[in-house]
């Protein structure tokens, strides 16, 4: 009985509220077109699963559709392909950063050897720095607290003079 009543009332609800369901996502959010006035273009809105808007619970492709950056709503296939591309891109970024760090380390070691100042302890410390850069628990920002790249001196703003050469 309730199913028949619901089937009857659903089109009536859409007619009264002038909302058209376009899709849902894995979080339970509903994406609808809302057109209160036929003279204006429809608005794209999201009805969240819990009633509170949380940007993290909206997939990037749905967000693009909501902001009219995308004409058609995303399909499940679009979302799977997009997610796979994002994973592949993050992996490629990690690889490029790792290759860059190795290249910089190699250049530092070559510069030190060319100048004749590099010692065995210097190369060990550079290798240790490279390992620390790649470790997951090492801090990413080596300039915290205003320290310079060497980490031994602090920046003194009163000591800086833009006219000094």
């Amino acid at each position: 009985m309730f199913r028949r009543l619901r089937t009857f009332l659903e089109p009536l609800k859409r007619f009264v509220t002038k909302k058209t369901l376009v899709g849902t996502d894995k979080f339970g959010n509903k994406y609808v077109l809302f057109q209160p006035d036929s003279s204006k273009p429809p608005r794209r809105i999201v009805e969240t699963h819990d009633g509170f808007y949380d940007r993290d619970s909206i997939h990037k492709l749905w967000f693009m559709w909501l902001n009219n950056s995308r004409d058609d709503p995303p399909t499940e296939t679009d979302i799977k392909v997009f997610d796979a591309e994002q994973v592949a891109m993050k992996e490629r970024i990690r690889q490029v950063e790792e290759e860059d760090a190795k290249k910089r380390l190699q250049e530092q070691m070559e510069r030190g050897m060319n100048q004749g100042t590099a010692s065995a302890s210097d190369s060990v410390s550079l290798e240790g720095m490279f390992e620390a850069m790649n470790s997951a628990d090492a801090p990413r920002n080596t300039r915290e607290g205003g320290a310079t790249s060497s980490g031994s001196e602090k920046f003194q703003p009163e000591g800086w003079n833009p006219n000094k050469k």
Side-chain angles (χ1 to χ4, degrees), residues 62-78:
W62 278 112
F63 188 79
M64 289 170 61
W65 179 80
L66 287 169
N67 289 294
N68 294 314
S69 297
R70 183 182 170 95
D71 293 332
D72 299 323
T75 62
E76 287 296 320
T77 306
D78 292 340

Side-chain angles (χ1 to χ4, degrees), residues 87-150:
V87 168
M89 185 179 293
K90 286 179 183 177
E91 177 62 24
R92 180 65 183 139
I93 289 170
R94 187 194 62 75
Q95 289 173 352
V96 168
E97 287 177 344
E98 186 175 304
E99 290 169 7
D100 183 55
K102 286 180 182 178
K103 187 176 181 180
R104 280 195 260 153
L105 177 64
Q106 183 67 30
E107 288 172 357
Q108 282 181 338
M109 291 176 73
E110 287 174 2
R111 265 187 268 135
M113 288 181 188
N114 289 342
Q115 294 173 354
T117 58
S119 64
S121 62
D122 290 339
S123 62
V124 170
S125 65
L126 289 175
E127 290 171 3
M129 285 175 32
F130 177 70
E131 290 173 9
M133 286 174 22
N134 286 332
S135 69
D137 53 350
R140 291 284 180 196
N141 186 0
T142 58
R143 293 185 174 216
E144 282 183 10
T148 61
S149 58
S150 67

Side-chain angles (χ1 to χ4, degrees), residues 79-92:
I79 291 172
K80 287 179 183 176
V81 168
F82 181 83
D83 289 344
E85 288 173 352
Q86 291 293 308
V87 168
M89 185 179 293
K90 286 179 183 177
E91 177 62 24
R92 180 65 183 139

Side-chain angles (χ1 to χ4, degrees), residues 1-9:
M1 169 147 169
F2 288 113
R3 193 173 278 179
R4 286 185 184 170
L5 183 62
R6 187 176 190 185
T7 307
F8 173 74
L9 291 177

Side-chain angles (χ1 to χ4, degrees), residues 15-19 33-43:
F15 177 75
V16 172
T17 61
K18 301 185 181 189
K19 290 182 181 179
L33 286 173
F34 177 66
Q35 190 167 14
D37 185 9
S38 60
S39 66
K40 296 180 180 178
R43 290 180 50 207

